Amino acid sequence: MNAIRLLLVDDDPLVRSGLRFMLSGADDVEIVGEAADGAQALTLAGTLGPDVVLMDIRMPVLDGLTATERLRSRADAPEVVVLTTFHADEQVLRALRAGAAGFVLKDASPADILGAVRSVAAGDPVLSPAVTRQLMTHAAASERAARTAGARTRIGELADREREVAVEVGRGKSNAQIAATLYMSVATVKTHVSRVMARLGLNNRVQIALLVHDAGLLDEG
């Protein structure tokens, strides 16, 4: 099995050094490069082809949020895990909406950071429903109201079964759990998830979950 190709992005060389020290000992992770700002990250991602990017948000030249948006708009985009010192921050939420697969705190344990890299490389988001709700609550009320209306309009584009699957994704369930809940095969669930992402222009399950939360569908029971 090929090692996970990882790009480290942080403007603090001490943080990058610490991350390299923590992660370089893993047999299944290869650190292919380091960047000190978002502009360097975009360049290196294009030449090095990482599978996962650990991305700081607050950086000079080009911030991590903009870099994440640009990275995730590319064909064959790497997964992005946001590095942050805050777990309830509007910029973290914006990064997730831009396509980041999750986030980890900078003071997280080496095992947690390594676990996050492995999870997103395997296609699993690093974000619990409880944290999603906390992030949503952190957003301004006026923004929430406008976002709810827009989210409900977008959800309205889905077929009934697609909507049901999207809601279960928002509840943090795996494909197998959704299949058991909705009495369908795992293959059918995967098909519906793919259709939801294609129909709504989303690129991962985190974005589906955020849209469901924005629309207030979980509050409906």
Side-chain angles (χ1 to χ4, degrees):
M1 186 174 181
N2 295 331
I4 300 166
R5 296 174 60 80
L6 178 65
L7 175 64
L8 305 177
V9 185
D10 196 292
D11 62 326
D12 188 337
L14 290 177
V15 172
R16 297 199 307 273
S17 177
L19 289 170
R20 176 177 286 275
F21 178 78
M22 286 191 294
L23 300 173
S24 59
D27 293 337
D28 58 343
V29 174
E30 176 188 1
I31 299 176
V32 295
E34 298 179 15
D37 58 61
Q40 290 182 8
L42 292 175
T43 299
L44 290 178
T47 58
L48 299 176
D51 301 308
V52 179
V53 177
L54 273 178
M55 180 81 75
D56 188 22
I57 292 182
R58 297 170 178 84
M59 295 182 293
V61 183
L62 188 71
D63 64 271
L65 175 62
T66 304
T68 295
E69 291 173 337
R70 294 181 184 178
L71 270 180
R72 292 299 298 166
S73 68
R74 294 178 176 179
D76 299 321
E79 297 293 349
V80 176
V81 178
V82 173
L83 283 168
T84 181
T85 55
F86 302 99
H87 64 279
D89 185 278
E90 177 62 20
Q91 287 188 309
V92 174
L93 187 58
R94 289 175 61 195
L96 294 172
R97 287 200 176 94
F103 73 92
V104 290
L105 298 177
K106 288 187 177 181
D107 61 358
S109 70
D112 286 343
I113 295 176
L114 182 58
V117 170
R118 287 169 172 160
S119 291
V120 299
D124 298 322
V126 185
L127 193 67
S128 70
V131 170
T132 304
R133 292 189 185 95
Q134 187 172 9
L135 286 166
M136 291 300 301
T137 300
H138 185 72
S142 59
E143 293 180 353
R144 270 205 313 274
R147 193 172 290 127
T148 296
R152 284 182 176 269
T153 298
R154 295 181 69 190
I155 290 292
E157 300 175 17
L158 301 177
D160 290 344
R161 210 56 168 159
E162 292 169 348
R163 172 185 164 125
E164 291 175 354
V165 169
V167 169
E168 298 305 322
V169 170
R171 291 190 171 117
K173 293 184 179 180
S174 67
N175 287 339
Q177 290 170 326
I178 295 172
T181 300
L182 299 181
Y183 303 102
M184 59 177 65
S185 69
V186 172
T188 300
V189 172
K190 290 180 179 178
T191 297
H192 282 311
V193 170
S194 296
R195 286 177 179 170
V196 169
M197 289 191 287
R199 193 183 295 268
L200 300 181
L202 307 176
N203 56 41
N204 60 33
R205 295 170 76 96
V206 172
Q207 289 186 321
I208 295 176
L210 288 173
L211 189 65
V212 168
H213 280 281
D214 284 344
L217 297 183
L218 300 186
D219 296 335
E220 296 176 353

